Amino acid sequence: MSDGRPADLFFDAAIGLLQRVREEEAGAITAAGALLADTVTAGGRLFAFGAGHSSLAAQDVVYRAGGLALMNLLAVPGVVGVDVTPATLGSALERVDGLASAVLDTSPVRAGDALVIISLSGRNALPVEMALNARALGVKVIGVTSVAYAAQTRSRHTSGTFLKDHCDIVLDSKIAVGDAELTLDTIPAPFAPASTVVTSALMQAVVATAAATLADRGIEPPLLRSGNVDGGHDWNARVMEEYGDRIFYRR
């Protein structure tokens, strides 16, 4: 690592990655936004899934001010973050064969819906099977992953394939294998992961594209407003009432 404050070096690395995905993934972002807009227009529902820290980017677009009200979290108990004890249980569950099938069979996901699957490595059984089984159900799948893992690691799924191999659209986060941007001679391991920053930006870019695409078609995008601004709650109540049968994070 060159001379400089670690904080500045991390910001430089994150900005560089954001610039790369902005330029190199522009076409995929446009296609993914159009796919979500097509799904909304056709009466379908939107879902997002991620395991471990990849779940952070999925949760970031659910019930979010300025986001699409129709985006629902496809939750898998024990794998959505580090809220389980021991924390290593979530990593273990990602490698369990058959779990994705059980989740989809008991979820509201159905043919005509769209599912965004976020997995940095894309190598574990859960995201691979989630994509395989969802497409078999007639669900469109958008994968957000680092394609580099497919070239530098081995799949942990019995098929030997990765998430990227089972998606209608793939968004490559460009994150290096290991997800750590900085090194120091005084520290024995690389540090400072940037995958959450980049993946969350990709997700918000896709949602923004979907909203603009709907507007271009003359359809008011079902957006939520902040409850901390005047009129926000009334606005959201109207959207929830209109689209209530496609929103699954409320009762």
Side-chain angles (χ1 to χ4, degrees):
M1 186 172 72
S2 60
D3 293 339
R5 295 192 310 165
D8 290 335
L9 293 169
F10 176 76
F11 281 124
D12 288 343
I15 290 168
L17 285 164
L18 289 170
Q19 289 175 331
R20 281 193 66 194
V21 296
R22 178 182 182 178
E23 296 168 4
E24 299 174 20
E25 298 302 297
I29 291 169
T30 298
L35 190 155
L36 295 188
D38 290 343
T39 304
V40 172
T41 302
R45 293 85 58 80
L46 309 179
F47 295 87
F49 165 78
H53 287 92
S54 291
S55 180
L56 297 175
Q59 295 178 54
D60 192 47
V61 294
V62 176
Y63 189 53
R64 184 62 187 261
L68 290 171
L70 274 61
M71 185 64 76
N72 301 279
L73 184 68
L74 182 60
V76 180
V79 305
V80 295
V82 291
D83 59 339
V84 295
T85 304
T88 52
L89 175 61
S91 297
L93 289 174
E94 284 188 70
R95 305 179 188 182
V96 174
D97 293 332
L99 180 57
S101 178
V103 169
L104 286 172
D105 288 347
T106 55
S107 79
V109 177
R110 68 188 185 193
D113 291 344
L115 170 62
V116 183
I117 301 176
I118 305 168
S119 173
L120 177 60
S121 73
R123 68 187 300 220
N124 290 311
L126 184 55
V128 174
E129 288 185 359
M130 189 77 74
L132 270 167
N133 294 348
R135 293 183 84 189
L137 291 173
V139 175
K140 295 293 186 180
V141 174
I142 299 169
V144 186
T145 187
S146 170
V147 172
Y149 277 83
Q152 301 178 41
T153 69
R154 296 178 61 183
S155 170
R156 292 187 175 126
H157 187 249
T158 55
S159 68
T161 60
F162 288 75
L163 169 62
K164 73 175 186 63
D165 300 316
H166 307 287
C167 300
D168 296 282
I169 298 169
V170 175
L171 297 171
D172 183 4
S173 64
K174 317 294 182 182
I175 300 296
V177 173
D179 191 18
E181 295 300 319
L182 304 183
T183 58
L184 275 177
D185 293 341
T186 55
I187 300 177
F191 60 104
S195 60
T196 302
V197 173
V198 176
T199 304
S200 292
L202 275 169
M203 290 295 292
Q204 293 295 350
V206 169
V207 171
T209 301
T213 301
L214 287 167
D216 288 344
R217 298 174 181 177
I219 300 170
E220 180 184 330
L223 296 171
L224 294 174
R225 288 189 171 183
S226 172
N228 296 314
V229 299
D230 292 342
H233 288 300
D234 290 338
W235 173 281
N236 292 341
R238 176 183 65 82
V239 173
M240 293 286 189
E241 178 65 26
E242 184 175 352
Y243 292 95
D245 60 338
R246 298 155 76 179
I247 298 171
F248 300 96
Y249 48 79
R250 70 168 198 169
R251 290 288 185 266

